[in-house]
Amino acid sequence: MQKKRSEELFAQASKLIPGGVNSPVRAFKSVNSTPLFIKEARGSRLFDVDGNQYIDYVCSWGPMILGHSQGEVAAKVKEAVDRGTSYGAPCEAEVELAALIIEALPSIEKIRMVSSGTEATMSAVRLARACTGREKFVKFEGCYHGHGDSFLIKAGSGLMTAGVPSSPGITSGVSEDTLICTYNDLDSVKQVFKEHGASIAALIVEPVAANMGLVLPEKDFLEGIREICDLYGALLIFDEVISGFRCCYGGFQNMCGIEPDLTTLGKIIGGGFPVGAYGGRAELMNRIAPEGDVYQAGTLSGNPIAMTAGAATLNILRNSDWYDRIEVMAYYLTGQLRSVLEDAGCFFSINRLGSMFSIFCSESDIRGYADVMTCDTEFYACLFNALLEEGVYFPPSQFETCFVSAAHDLTDMEKTIIAFQKALKKCK
Ligand code: PLP
């Protein structure tokens, strides 16, 4: 695989941009390589600056559920660009997208658009603090909610329930207010609430954890945290930035039947443009400025292009059977990959939900963060690089999730299975 131009660009970028990239995981560091620079993306494929093409299972980290440059979405975006790219004033597309989301997610009565998932989660926690008059909040180790200070906190030593910063630059006050629990372990949640319940404003969770690879919630886990939040008067925030409109039209909350108090969204609702949103019951959302006293604002919030792309994407998803189709594709692919692995005497775990899946280089069942940590990340790096050589683009980290889009077809699946066979042979 020729990589000369990507390497030149990376060398240039590294002098200008920290680490040569504008978001860390893109740097390919954890797969011992350097990034590909992408020139174009169409359908299920990425095309790099050296003329290579790849079947893309990253899908821009989730948003591109219809595939790249989908015809109707692209046409609507082009028309919108001709009408101006940002007004700094309300536009019709904001109302259309808000109405689509509210119709799809019964727990949301009012929604505020922002420009990223990080903004959505930061704002939701601020609102929860304001509504409860409490300062602490609970998150789970291995869940990711963007790069807001209070989310960059990891578990401290076994004796502590307050977390410690996972990055320099975060104050001790912030880490003291963030309490860390173990995903899929209700006892850890009960314990933290028992100790700090009266000062906990909210618990934030990815209802399907997709940022430590894909880890599914166990039976009764989400129900249990709903009950605990109710018992202690804390708000439950579902971070559906990845899972929103991914597994079904609406959020994972529509599938599991548990209603959070607040929901955060991003990715798919922006159709490939920078977007985020948070919403919930009107009584809570009415606290947001200018209706209420909780300040939150954004120059590009509700941007007409992002709103148009998001509304076009949701309208297609709402009126089609794409969810069935992409689930079948992912089911077929993961079934075949499992057979390939087993034929090679390799009993790695594969987790899948709808069109999301992760192959874990570990023979343990992957049910939580501790299991994820048993993965052989060097083996994953080998697999990743060998797949790339065969024209298949998996996430450049063991701890990310693969996505199938509506543009992936059986030919892509067959090519991926053959590529996987070859890659496995190389790495075993
Ligand atoms: N929440 C979840 C669950 C995410 O996966 C992400 C990003 O991947 C975020 C929040 C942050 O979103 P953004 O990268 O748009 O700031």
Side-chain angles (χ1 to χ4, degrees):
M1 184 183 97
Q2 170 69 257
K3 216 180 149 179
K4 192 164 170 285
R5 185 65 189 139
S6 273
E7 282 170 354
E8 282 169 7
L9 283 169
F10 186 55
Q12 226 177 316
S14 299
K15 291 186 193 140
L16 306 168
I17 302 169
V21 289
N22 283 312
S23 193
V25 73
R26 293 182 200 169
F28 282 25
K29 262 189 162 175
S30 55
V31 288
N32 313 319
S33 189
T34 55
L36 300 175
F37 279 66
I38 304 302
K39 188 175 171 187
E40 202 176 329
R42 258 181 285 120
S44 62
R45 306 293 171 113
L46 293 177
F47 301 84
D48 73 11
V49 287
D50 288 287
N52 305 301
Q53 64 167 285
Y54 309 89
I55 303 170
D56 177 22
Y57 290 98
V58 178
C59 291
S60 190
W61 307 95
M64 309 317 299
I65 191 167
L66 296 176
H68 295 285
S69 197
Q70 199 274 347
E72 278 169 65
V73 179
K76 290 253 162 68
V77 165
K78 283 175 192 158
E79 283 169 26
V81 167
D82 285 341
R83 294 192 299 271
T85 55
S86 181
Y87 312 137
C91 68
E92 201 169 331
E94 292 170 82
V95 185
E96 185 186 359
L97 184 57
L100 282 165
I101 295 172
I102 287 169
E103 176 204 59
L105 287 143
S107 73
I108 301 184
E109 291 172 352
K110 279 195 172 178
I111 189 157
R112 169 57 66 81
M113 303 294 173
V114 291
S115 297
S116 69
T118 298
E119 266 186 83
T121 53
M122 277 167 35
S123 310
V125 169
R126 181 184 306 146
L127 176 61
R129 285 179 165 142
C131 291
T132 57
R134 301 172 180 181
E135 295 198 345
K136 295 189 189 296
F137 79 99
V138 177
K139 73 180 276 287
F140 292 94
E141 179 132 62
C143 283
Y144 178 70
H145 305 290
H147 67 90
D149 280 4
S150 47
F151 300 118
L152 296 183
I153 306 292
K154 60 183 180 190
S157 79
L159 294 175
M160 291 159 58
T161 47
V164 295
S166 58
S167 161
I170 292 165
T171 64
S172 51
V174 167
S175 50
E176 274 161 26
D177 284 339
T178 307
L179 305 167
I180 311 288
C181 289
T182 306
Y183 193 80
N184 273 336
D185 177 357
L186 266 184
D187 285 341
S188 74
V189 184
K190 284 181 190 155
Q191 185 60 34
V192 158
F193 272 86
K194 209 166 140 193
E195 277 175 48
H196 301 279
S199 44
I200 296 174
L203 177 150
I204 187 168
V205 64
E206 286 180 80
V208 182
N211 282 290
M212 46 177 152
L214 184 71
V215 178
L216 309 187
E218 305 219 308
K219 191 174 169 313
D220 301 335
F221 175 62
L222 297 173
E223 211 166 33
I225 57 180
R226 176 70 275 181
E227 280 168 15
I228 295 168
C229 285
D230 288 344
L231 189 65
Y232 288 89
L235 298 185
L236 175 60
I237 306 172
F238 272 6
D239 181 354
E240 300 231 41
V241 166
I242 286 189
S243 58
F245 295 92
R246 171 49 68 177
C247 310
C248 65
Y249 191 73
F252 185 70
Q253 57 193 268
N254 300 66
M255 294 178 92
C256 69
I258 291 158
E259 284 210 349
D261 300 294
L262 294 171
T263 299
T264 54
L265 295 163
K267 300 199 190 256
I268 287 174
I269 62 157
F273 285 82
V275 103
Y278 62 107
R281 289 193 303 281
E283 139 228 351
L284 301 172
M285 294 303 291
N286 286 343
R287 285 291 299 269
I288 304 289
E291 190 149 358
D293 54 350
V294 179
Y295 195 70
Q296 183 272 306
T299 301
L300 290 175
S301 294
N303 171 266
I305 312 302
M307 298 295 104
T308 299
T313 301
L314 295 198
N315 273 317
I316 293 169
L317 291 170
R318 182 172 179 262
N319 301 310
S320 69
D321 58 1
W322 282 122
Y323 286 106
D324 293 341
R325 194 193 126 116
I326 56 178
E327 170 149 18
V328 169
M329 285 287 168
Y331 172 80
Y332 173 71
L333 179 64
T334 49
Q336 294 295 309
L337 297 183
R338 184 169 280 121
S339 302
V340 170
L341 283 164
E342 284 174 8
D343 289 348
C346 219
F347 297 91
F348 287 170
S349 275
I350 302 183
N351 285 354
R352 183 188 65 80
L353 180 74
S355 57
M356 305 191 272
F357 70 92
S358 287
I359 298 174
F360 293 98
C361 296
S362 166
E363 296 192 352
S364 308
D365 273 351
I366 304 291
R367 299 164 54 208
Y369 187 71
D371 303 322
V372 170
M373 289 298 113
T374 65
C375 289
D376 182 345
T377 51
E378 282 307 309
F379 194 94
Y380 184 84
C382 179
L383 212 50
F384 166 85
N385 286 301
L387 281 169
L388 213 55
E389 287 284 341
E390 298 298 327
V392 173
Y393 193 93
F394 262 34
S397 158
Q398 169 71 90
F399 308 121
E400 301 290 346
T401 294
C402 297
F403 299 98
V404 174
S405 79
H408 286 86
D409 61 14
L410 268 182
T411 309
D412 292 325
M413 302 295 118
E414 298 304 341
K415 283 193 172 153
T416 305
I417 294 156
I418 292 167
F420 195 79
Q421 258 163 347
K422 289 187 183 164
L424 196 59
K425 215 174 252 173
K426 216 178 204 176
C427 299
K428 265 290 266 178

